[in-house]
Each structure stands twice: as C-alpha cells, then as structure tokens.
Amino acid sequence: MLRIRLAENRLATARRDGLIGGPVHLSVGQEAVAVGVSRSLRSSDRVFGAHRSHAHLLALGSSVHGLFAETLGKDTGHCRGMGGSMHLWDQSNGFYGSVPIVAATVALAVGAGLAAKLQKSSDVAVAYLGDGAIEEGIVHESLNFARIQDIPMIFVIENNLFASHMYISTRQPSDLTARFAEANRIPAAVIDGNDVVSVMETAAQAVSRARTGGGPTFIEAVTYRWYGHVDWRDDIDVGVNRSQADVVNWKARDPIARLRDAMVTKGYWSLDQDAELEANLKNEIQEAWERAMQDPYPAEESLLNRVYAK
Ligand SMILES: Cc1ncc(C[n+]2csc(CCOP(=O)(O)OP(=O)(O)O)c2C)c(N)n1
Ligand SMILES: [Mg+2]
C-alpha cells in the first residue's frame, strides 16, 4: 500500500510540475482495495482495470519503473510508452489491461473468465470498476451473463462515492451498488474498502469460490479518493458534496495508518521497522523515477508496430 501511495504521490507532483504530458487519475486513499484483492491472485489470473488503475497494476507485483516510464511515454514503459497512465498492461503479472472507456473492460473480464472456464483452468478474472461505471448498461449485461454462465470472476466495485465531480446521491437512488448483484443473484459483500484485512478476507473467499466452480462474486468496497478526479488538485472547489471536512474525515480513515497502528498496537510491527520500510520504498521510488526520466522515447518509426498484437 505504501509503495503504491508513494508512487502515485510522485506522479501527482510530476504532473503538477508539467513533467507528464497526459492526465493521471490517482487512487491515493483507496490502496487497500487493490492490495487486499491481489493477495489472493496469481499471475495466470486475468485482471482488468480502467482509467484509475495504477494501484491495480502495482498491487499485482508490476514494476513502479514500468508505470513511471509508461506515464512519461518512454519506450521502457509497460506499453512501450504508447498508452500512458490510462492504458496499462502487464500480462506477466496477470494484468490484462486498463482502458479509459468507463465500463468497457468489464465485459472483457467476463470474456476472459469464460475463456478460463472453457480452458478448464482454475484461473479467475477480476473486473475493477467504479460506482460511476456501474451506471453503464454493459455492466448489467455482464453481471447477468456472468451468473448465467457461472463465470469464475470477481466484480470489484470501488465505491468512492464520486463519478468525476458528481456525488453518488445526485446520480443514484442509493449510495450502495450491491443491489445490482442481488438483481442478478450474484453473492455480494459490502465492505469497508479502507480496511485491507477485510478486503483480503472477502476477496479470498470470492476467489476460492470462483476457482472451485462457484461462479461470480460482487464485492463492493466503500472508499474515498484523496485527490480530486484527475491529477494533483483536491477538487474541493468543483466537487459537488466534496468539502474540506469530508476529505479530512476520510483521511482519518487512512488504510495505511490503520494497518500500521493495528500492527504496532498488537506487537507485530514496530515504528522503527515502519520507518525503515518507508525509507527503503522512498529510495526505490526515487531510483525508478530517475531511471524512467532518463529512458529513451520510442522510435518514431515504431509507432504502428504494436497496433495489433500478434
Ligand atoms: C464511456 C465513458 N463515459 C464517460 C467517460 C468520462 N469519465 C471518465 S472517468 C468518469 C467517472 C467514472 O467514475 P467511477 O466509475 O466511479 O470511477 P472513479 O473515477 O470514481 O474511480 C467519467 C464519467 C469515459 N471515460 N467513458
Ligand atoms: Mg467513483
């Protein structure tokens, strides 16, 4: 969680300073979701994200340097610099891709899950989506099809209460989305998305159910993003129902501080260990950034080389 946080904070600063050409959608504050889910996954699983997917990628074990290089448009990036922050891919770690068309990858995850089933593997698919994405029709077709075909997959809804600048109560008659799982007879769990242990335990059950033929699960993890919709700003001025007080309250539920405090209180972890971990991670992030900054851009003539994958 800390690696993801430090990496995203670096991206925020770099974007503010004009070093990154395209928008970056940050998930600082939401780290427990991707980390808790990924704990039960293996590299042959098939994970899909969307526009806010740095954490989904990194939590699978993908390299921070690859993310930085991709975001900077460098040849060493996960997509050879052709995608940027919103088109991430690292199949070696099970990340089958993110696409900024909201909800588009949900159906791809259903397809990947169906393939896993037809191949008689015990691999699972994961679709990460937001409370805004669930308003797209394709999600409802996906839920229905996943249930009817008993597809081994997990729908992970990161309900951060916002779609761009619109608060959930301005868009939906309920502030929870799990009712859509109920409508499709998919088992659902609504959990505190800032509690990594709760995410981990819920995801472990869901993944185990999918691997053993039990079909799909819907996990709604309620959380909050600390930055605004895109880039480094906090969006207090433009966010409907996004006051400074809300942000302060949600920061008090910081998933990283919560885990650290719990582990220190129970004697599993010391503040010295914590300081050492943070120092090591800061070094790692700094080195990854410096390397990515120095890496080459892709050659101009390579532009069309990877439009279609072999
Ligand atoms: C099909 C489509 N419609 C609209 C947009 C513009 N858009 C980008 S992100 C976003 C909000 C998505 O909200 P949510 O799914 O809750 O994800 P979050 O940003 O909260 O992580 C919108 C409307 C888009 N990229 N694609
Ligand atoms: Mg949202």
Side-chain angles (χ1 to χ4, degrees):
M1 288 196 286
L2 194 51
R3 176 181 282 116
I4 293 166
R5 168 129 348 144
L6 294 171
E8 287 212 298
N9 279 338
R10 169 51 62 99
L11 290 174
T13 314
R15 176 75 178 139
R16 184 201 62 201
D17 295 346
L19 298 173
I20 296 174
V24 290
H25 297 75
L26 304 161
S27 63
V28 170
Q30 304 185 186
E31 298 89 347
V33 183
V35 170
V37 168
S38 301
R39 190 83 181 173
S40 294
L41 299 177
R42 57 194 189 204
S43 59
S44 51
D45 291 325
R46 300 125 198 241
V47 180
F48 292 80
H51 57 289
R52 197 182 303 285
S53 277
H54 306 151
H56 306 151
L57 174 86
L58 294 181
L60 291 169
S62 220
S63 93
V64 172
H65 167 259
L67 171 66
F68 285 169
E70 187 57 43
T71 306
L72 288 165
K74 300 298 182 81
D75 196 36
T76 49
H78 284 302
C79 287
R80 307 294 295 265
M82 301 290 176
S85 156
M86 290 191 281
H87 300 90
L88 303 171
W89 178 83
D90 179 9
Q91 219 160 300
S92 64
N93 282 302
F95 196 67
Y96 272 47
S98 68
V99 174
I101 304 169
V102 168
T105 47
V106 177
L108 301 185
V110 173
L114 179 59
K117 183 179 171 180
L118 294 175
Q119 288 156 353
K120 301 201 187 325
S121 74
S122 57
D123 296 332
V124 304
V126 173
Y128 285 107
L129 62 147
D131 53 293
I134 205 142
E135 294 159 8
E136 293 282 351
I138 198 164
V139 173
H140 302 274
E141 297 174 55
S142 297
L143 290 167
N144 180 72
F145 193 73
R147 173 75 283 170
I148 285 296
Q149 296 288 332
D150 272 337
I151 290 181
M153 68 176 296
I154 300 94
F155 295 89
V156 181
I157 290 62
E158 287 181 88
N159 184 350
N160 61 12
L161 310 173
F162 284 91
S164 302
H165 308 297
M166 288 186 74
Y167 192 67
I168 194 160
S169 67
T170 63
R171 300 179 282 118
Q172 296 191 31
S174 162
D175 58 5
L176 292 176
T177 66
R179 64 193 187 280
F180 298 121
E182 160 70 14
N184 288 286
R185 306 293 184 262
I186 293 177
V190 179
I191 56 170
D192 178 348
N194 284 19
D195 177 350
V196 71
V197 177
S198 168
V199 179
M200 216 171 85
E201 289 174 350
T202 309
Q205 275 183 13
V207 170
S208 157
R209 178 185 293 133
R211 290 206 201 287
T212 54
T217 301
F218 184 107
I219 299 175
E220 175 164 18
V222 181
T223 183
Y224 201 81
R225 54 167 161 66
W226 290 8
Y227 287 106
H229 171 60
V230 61
D231 298 330
W232 72 95
R233 299 176 197 89
D234 58 18
D235 280 0
I236 301 295
D237 48 345
V238 291
V240 179
N241 289 9
R242 186 172 160 90
S243 67
Q244 188 73 53
D246 287 336
V247 177
V248 168
N249 279 337
W250 276 97
K251 284 187 176 177
R253 300 182 213 176
D254 178 0
I256 298 179
R258 276 170 71 174
L259 181 65
R260 177 194 299 127
D261 292 349
M263 292 202 309
V264 169
T265 306
K266 300 213 163 156
Y268 296 129
W269 190 241
S270 73
L271 291 177
D272 284 346
Q273 280 174 298
D274 204 69
E276 192 185 329
L277 174 75
E278 185 157 348
N280 288 342
L281 286 172
K282 280 186 171 156
N283 279 340
E284 178 194 317
I285 301 292
Q286 181 62 20
E287 278 169 21
W289 180 256
E290 284 172 9
R291 193 147 63 88
M293 284 291 280
Q294 279 161 21
D295 284 344
Y297 288 105
E300 210 167 307
E301 56 277 15
S302 73
L303 191 60
L304 300 180
N305 287 357
R306 297 178 196 87
V307 174
Y308 297 102
K310 284 228 176 82

